[in-house]
């Protein structure tokens, strides 16, 4: 069978040699060592010469809030804590409209596609204030962008469930309408156990995975994760639960944190570090030796947990930064978790690709025969350079179709070097 597209002579950290990949009808149909004059290349519909550049499966953004992205210009004052960020967003939420949410979401989606993102899990606020407006926008965008990016939608009760009566009914409606994941938040409702029971029961009823905002604090006594570990086992949901933030774990003494990290790994709970927000909002109460307020990424990895990273927010009260490039987030994490070795880069790349795919329970994802041809070709032949310099994503393909290409062009003037 002849491929529609061949990408010839690419490099990838998981192959010890330069490789060729052939694609037909959106799937990878062959993958083999690059040999000059490969006969398949001659019959391909389209041939891309990678010339040794890095090819990865599409990048994954596993935790983002599209509905509250790009709010900076709407804020009446800056936010300096998690409480202020929640309050500020709540205030703005009253004026959210479908058009406004759609415009801001599309801005992020397009940036992400240009950055090589082929899959994105977005948390959408569901509560009596905004109702299902954001959710309905996201459902429409999921369908509209189906050929460019895969969106997973988390039904997310940002304001709590018990705290905002009517929220549980709205979550049920969202799940009936097609939400992919049940969301939750451990630091809004007074009764943690009741909140978690609602979330786990909904997940069981609708056979969905769970993605919780958890222990977003630098207070080591905030350990909702212990209840989540217990319930993951009790509900037999090992491998189907993700937790974002989990930063209070980073303030625990090493031995205590180690025990919990092991239990997280045993429960198959995926941990999503959200460093842009966590670094920005945590540690603010420290007047010296400021804690970074991150989840203990190296320790979790050592204990065998699946740890990945997400943007969380793009330019809003929680995080006034962000470019929708997962590798920007990865770089931030690399700096702040001492992950600078050659092997660390491979791990950090896995965290934005195959490890994230595991958390999002993606099927047919990766670089193997039979997988969807969701691919990104970097403008570099060296993995570390590709990562550290966040080089342009030369081509991005979704199911074998080109969805974005970026060329960086710099012109130098007055180049004469005096001697
Ligand atoms: Zn979040």
């Amino acid at each position: 069978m002849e491929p529609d597209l061949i990408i010839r002579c690419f490099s990838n950290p998981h192959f010890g040699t330069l490789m060729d990949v052939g694609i037909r009808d959106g799937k990878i149909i062959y993958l083999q060592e690059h040999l000059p004059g490969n006969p398949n290349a001659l019959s391909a519909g389209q041939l891309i010469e990678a010339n040794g550049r890095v090819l990865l499966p599409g990048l994954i953004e596993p935790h983002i809030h599209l509905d509250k992205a790009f709010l900076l210009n709407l804020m009446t004052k800056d936010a300096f804590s998690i409480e202020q960020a929640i309050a500020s967003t709540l205030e703005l939420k009253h004026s959210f409209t479908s058009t406004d949410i759609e415009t801001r979401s599309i801005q992020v989606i397009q940036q992400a596609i240009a950055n090589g993102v082929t899959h994105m899990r977005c948390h959408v606020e569901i509560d009596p204030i905004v109702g299902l407006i954001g959710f309905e926008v996201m459902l429409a965008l999921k369908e509209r962008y189906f050929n460019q990016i895969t969106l997973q939608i988390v039904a997310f009760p940002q304001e709590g469930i018990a705290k905002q009566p009517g929220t549980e009914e709205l979550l049920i409606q969202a799940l009936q309408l097609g939400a992919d994941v049940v969301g939750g938040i451990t630091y809004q409702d007074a009764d943690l156990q009741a909140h978690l029971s609602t979330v786990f029961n909904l997940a069981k009823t609708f056979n969905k995975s769970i993605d919780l905002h958890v222990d977003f604090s630098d207070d080591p006594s905030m350990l909702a994760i212990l209840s989540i570990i217990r319930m993951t086992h009790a509900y037999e949901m090992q491998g189907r639960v993700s937790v974002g933030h989990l930063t209070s774990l980073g303030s625990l003494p090493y031995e205590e944190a180690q025990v919990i990290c092991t239990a997280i790994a045993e429960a198959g709970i995926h941990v999503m570090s959200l460093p842009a927000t966590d670094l920005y909002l945590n540690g603010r109460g420290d007047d010296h030796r400021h804690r970074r307020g991150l989840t203990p990424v190296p320790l979790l990895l050592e204990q065998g947990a699946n740890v990945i990273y997400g943007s969380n927010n793009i330019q809003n009260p929680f995080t006034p930064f962000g470019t929708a490039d997962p590798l920007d987030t990865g770089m931030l994490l690399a700096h702040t978790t001492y992950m600078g070795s050659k092997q660390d880069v491979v791990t950090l790349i896995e965290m934005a690709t195959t490890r994230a795919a595991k958390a999002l329970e993606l099927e047919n994802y990766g670089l193997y025969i039979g997988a969807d041809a969701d691919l990104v070709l970097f403008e570099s032949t060296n993995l570390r350079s590709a990562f550290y310099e966040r080089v342009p994503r030369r081509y991005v393909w979704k199911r074998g179709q080109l969805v974005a290409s970026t060329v960086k062009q710099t012109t130098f003037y007055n180049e004469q070097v005096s001697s």
Side-chain angles (χ1 to χ4, degrees), residues 107 117 147 156 215 223 288 323 368:
Q107 200 178 342
V117 176
N147 290 324
F156 174 48
D215 299 339
L223 288 174
H288 69 298
T323 57
Y368 58 86

Side-chain angles (χ1 to χ4, degrees), residues 262-307:
T262 307
I264 288 169
E266 285 170 358
I269 293 172
H270 311 284
V271 179
M272 301 188 185
S273 180
L274 308 170
T277 308
D278 297 341
L279 288 160
Y280 184 64
L281 290 179
N282 282 326
R284 285 177 177 261
D286 300 335
D287 58 9
H288 69 298
R289 292 182 183 169
H290 289 262
R291 283 165 294 170
R292 288 177 174 172
L294 296 174
T295 200
V297 173
L299 181 57
L300 282 159
L301 286 168
E302 275 167 37
Q303 301 307 311
N306 186 35
V307 192

